[in-house]
Amino acid sequence: MTRNVLIGIDAGTSKVKTTLFSLDGTPLRELSADVALLTPAHDQAEIDVTRLLHDLIQKLKELVTGYEKNILSIGFSVTSPTLVLLDKDLDAIRPATVYLDNRSGGLVEQYTARLGGSEVFFRKVGNNPSPSTCVAATINWFKKHEPENWRKVFKLGFLNTYLAAQFTGSLAADPTVSSYSGLMNIAAPDTWDNELVDFFGIPSDLLPPVHWASHKVGELNRKMADALGIDTGIPVALGGADSAATCFALGILKHGEVMQSMGTSEVLTFCHSTPDFSPAYMNRTHVLRGLWLSHGAMSTTGAAINWLLSNVFPELSSEESLEREALLSPLGAGGLFFLPYLCGERSPIFDAKAAGTFFGVNLTTRRPEIIRAVYEGAAYGMRQIYKIGTDTWHVKPDYIRCVGGASKSPLAVQLRADALNTEFRSIEADTAASYGAAMLGGLAAGVFDGLDGLPYLTACNKTVKPTPGGVAHYEKHSEIYNRLYPVLKDLMHLACDYR
C-alpha cells in the first residue's frame, strides 16, 4: 500500500533537488537536475529560473509516479538571496541574481555612506552592508541599467517567492530570505521596514507581503497540477532559505544550539532567542517566529582542499590521499600557518580583498606540512568565529552537530573538535534542506500538530571528542593566526589591486 508523503524541494545554485519523504522523515525517492550558474560579467552571477522551473517540473513528474494520490504537501528550500523580477503573469523577466553577484558593490558603498556608515547600516538592518546582504542595491542597479526590464516589473521577489507563485498563483516573501534584502530590520521581521524601503527608493507596492516559512501560501493550481499529473488543492508552504531549512530539519531550535555545515564553504550557525547580532556573522531570522540564526561563514575552506588537489599537488589523486599525506606532518605543520582567504572572505572579517597566505615557510617545510597547514587553517578560522559567538551569546554547547561532505573527513572533524574544544557529532543529512522544506509543508498543511514530536534528523553517525594535546596546541598558537590578517590587510589590498 502506498504511503502518504511530503515533497521537499531544495533549489540551489548548482542543483535543484526533489525528494519524497514519508511522515517519519524517511527519504523514499530523490531526483535532481543541474542548475547552470551564469556569469555574464566578471562581477555578475545569475541562474535562469525559467529553465530551473522547467527542469523542476520534469523531475517532479517522475518523482511522484505511484504517489499521485498520496501527496499531502509541498515546501521549498532555496539558495538566498536570489532576486527575481516578476511580471504581471508572475513569470521571471530576466535571469535571477544569486548571492555571488557583486554588480551592486559600488551602489552598496554609496548607500551605506549616505545612511551614515557601515555601523549605522548594521544597527538598522542587523547585517554588514554587502551585495549579498543588501539586495535593495541590486534592485536599484536594474532600475538604472536595465530600464526596459524595470518597466515590466510587477513584483520583486526571491526564489521561493517565484516558485510559490508558479505553484499557487500567490505571492509572498519570507523573513529568512528577506533578512538579506536591506529592506527589513531583522529584529522586527514581520514586515518590511518602511524607513529602509523609502531610503532605497523602492516602490512599496512592488514588494510582496511578508509571511513566515511555514505559511500556507496557497494550494497547487490547475496549471501546475496538470503539468505534474496530480490533483489540485495540495497545500504549499512558502518555505525559506536553505541554511535555515537545514537547521529546522536538524532540530536546531533552542538558544545556544550550534550547527556546522562543512562543504566547499563552511558555516558555523548559532541559534538564539533574542535579536542580538554580531557583525562577525551573517544574521537572519529562523523559519519560526522568535528565533534567529547567525552564520559564521568562511568562503573557501573546502575549496582550498580542492585547490590543493587541482593546482598544487595534482599527483595526489583524492582527498583521502591528501589526508594521509597531512598525517605525516606533526601537529602544527612545523610552524606553518595558512589563511584560507582564496576568494576574499566573509566571516569574521568581511573583506573581498583578503588573500590566501602561507606564513612560516622554511627549509624544512615539506608537502605534508603544506597540506596540514591548509587543513589547520580552516580549523583556526572556525575557532576564531566560534569564540566570537560563544562570547557574544554567552553560550557553550555540549556538542556541535555537523553536516556536509567534509564532515566525513576524520582529520577535518578532529581538527575542529580540538580547535573549538567541543565534541562534534556528524549527521548523515544529504537531504536535510529538502527535509526541512518538506516539514514546513507539513506544518502548512496541518499534517503535524505543532513542533512537538516532529521527526527531526538527530541520528548521530559518528562522535568525535577533542583531544587534550590538540586543545592545548590550538589554545597556545591561535593568537598567531588571529594576528596575521590585521597585520597583512593593507598589503593584501595592494596585491589585490595589483592583480
Side-chain angles (χ1 to χ4, degrees):
M1 179 178 178
T2 304
R3 293 177 285 177
N4 287 332
V5 296
L6 312 173
I7 294 179
I9 296 169
D10 178 29
T13 52
S14 60
K15 287 185 181 294
V16 55
K17 299 178 182 178
T18 65
T19 312
L20 277 182
F21 294 95
S22 66
L23 299 188
D24 65 0
T26 302
L28 303 174
R29 184 181 294 163
E30 178 187 350
L31 294 171
S32 64
D34 291 335
V35 175
L37 182 65
L38 310 175
T39 53
H42 73 92
D43 59 351
Q44 299 179 9
E46 304 175 344
I47 55 174
D48 183 345
V49 290
T50 303
R51 181 68 192 181
L52 182 152
L53 178 66
H54 173 273
D55 293 343
L56 170 59
I57 291 171
Q58 300 309 307
K59 294 301 177 183
L60 281 174
K61 285 176 64 176
E62 186 178 349
L63 186 84
V64 301
T65 301
Y67 292 89
E68 291 89 348
K69 302 295 183 181
N70 301 89
I71 302 165
L72 299 182
S73 65
I74 299 170
F76 302 106
S77 159
V78 295
T79 182
S80 74
T82 302
L83 173 66
V84 186
L85 310 183
L86 300 168
D87 64 19
K88 290 185 178 180
D89 296 321
L90 305 185
D91 292 324
I93 294 168
R94 66 175 316 286
T97 60
V98 299
Y99 69 96
L100 297 167
D101 191 279
N102 287 312
R103 74 185 72 199
S104 64
L107 282 175
V108 171
E109 292 179 0
Q110 293 174 29
Y111 280 117
T112 301
R114 281 175 47 195
L115 195 61
S118 58
E119 291 184 5
V120 175
F121 185 96
F122 181 83
R123 288 199 303 271
K124 288 182 175 294
V125 174
N127 273 311
N128 293 304
S130 72
S132 61
T133 55
C134 186
V135 173
T138 306
I139 293 170
N140 279 308
W141 189 96
F142 286 120
K143 186 176 180 180
K144 178 180 180 181
H145 294 280
E146 296 187 6
E148 291 187 8
N149 283 332
W150 182 253
R151 284 192 289 269
K152 301 175 187 175
V153 173
F154 172 69
K155 289 290 180 183
L156 301 164
F158 302 100
L159 186 49
N160 55 336
T161 306
Y162 170 72
L163 293 175
Q166 292 293 320
F167 276 62
T168 70
S170 298
L171 285 163
D174 90 288
T176 67
V177 178
S178 303
S179 294
Y180 292 165
S181 67
L183 301 173
M184 175 178 283
N185 177 349
I186 307 171
D190 287 296
T191 186
W192 304 107
D193 186 291
N194 290 331
E195 181 181 340
L196 290 168
V197 171
D198 291 342
F199 172 77
F200 284 105
I202 307 296
S204 59
D205 62 338
L206 297 185
L207 297 173
V210 175
H211 291 290
W212 289 85
S214 60
H215 171 71
K216 177 183 170 182
V217 70
E219 296 179 345
L220 194 68
N221 60 30
R222 171 58 62 188
K223 180 180 178 182
M224 187 61 65
D226 288 345
L228 299 177
I230 58 180
D231 293 335
T232 60
I234 296 171
V236 177
L238 175 58
D242 48 10
S243 57
T246 297
C247 285
F248 182 49
L250 298 182
I252 306 289
L253 297 169
K254 295 179 181 178
H255 181 82
E257 292 187 316
V258 180
M259 182 200 78
Q260 189 147 328
S261 176
M262 301 168 61
T264 302
S265 60
E266 190 160 344
V267 183
L268 183 75
T269 298
F270 279 80
C271 179
H272 41 105
S273 56
T274 57
D276 177 19
F277 307 124
S278 166
Y281 283 71
M282 298 178 69
N283 306 292
R284 62 160 31 111
T285 66
H286 206 335
V287 297
L288 304 172
R289 183 182 281 104
L291 291 173
W292 287 263
L293 299 172
S294 292
H295 305 302
M298 296 187 72
S299 297
T300 55
T301 52
I305 301 301
N306 294 328
W307 168 75
L308 281 178
L309 278 173
S310 300
N311 296 355
V312 185
F313 303 120
E315 68 274 15
L316 298 176
S317 59
S318 66
E319 291 183 21
E320 290 76 16
S321 60
L322 273 182
E323 288 200 26
R324 286 194 296 271
E325 193 80 5
L327 291 172
L328 298 176
S329 165
L331 180 66
L336 184 63
F337 289 81
F338 176 68
L339 295 179
Y341 305 156
L342 298 186
C343 188
E345 188 53 283
R346 292 179 289 177
S347 299
I349 60 175
F350 290 94
D351 184 353
K353 293 184 176 181
T357 304
F358 283 103
F359 175 79
V361 180
N362 58 59
L363 288 176
T364 66
T365 300
R366 307 167 301 150
R367 185 169 70 180
E369 281 72 42
I370 294 172
I371 297 171
R372 187 177 184 97
V374 171
Y375 275 90
E376 291 191 349
Y380 276 119
M382 297 316 298
R383 183 186 192 279
Q384 184 182 37
I385 291 169
Y386 182 63
K387 191 172 189 315
I388 293 171
T390 55
D391 289 348
T392 299
W393 296 298
H394 310 292
V395 297
K396 180 64 170 72
D398 294 331
Y399 60 88
I400 294 173
R401 284 166 251 190
C402 63
V403 297
S407 69
K408 300 178 177 65
S409 162
L411 177 60
V413 177
Q414 186 64 66
L415 289 175
R416 283 152 182 77
D418 290 346
L420 277 59
N421 191 17
T422 306
E423 179 180 305
F424 270 63
R425 296 183 182 180
S426 298
I427 297 175
E428 291 285 353
D430 293 338
T431 58
S434 297
Y435 184 50
M439 287 204 299
L440 291 169
L443 287 174
V447 174
F448 302 120
D449 184 17
L451 301 180
D452 292 338
L454 279 177
Y456 300 111
L457 302 175
T458 57
C460 174
N461 182 50
K462 186 178 182 181
T463 297
V464 177
K465 297 181 181 295
T467 62
V471 171
H473 175 86
Y474 289 110
E475 181 69 31
K476 180 178 180 180
H477 297 288
S478 60
E479 182 184 0
I480 298 174
Y481 177 94
N482 293 344
R483 290 175 62 183
L484 280 174
Y485 168 75
V487 170
L488 296 173
K489 176 181 177 180
D490 290 344
L491 291 174
M492 288 179 178
H493 287 201
L494 284 173
C496 184
D497 294 338
Y498 177 78
R499 292 199 302 268

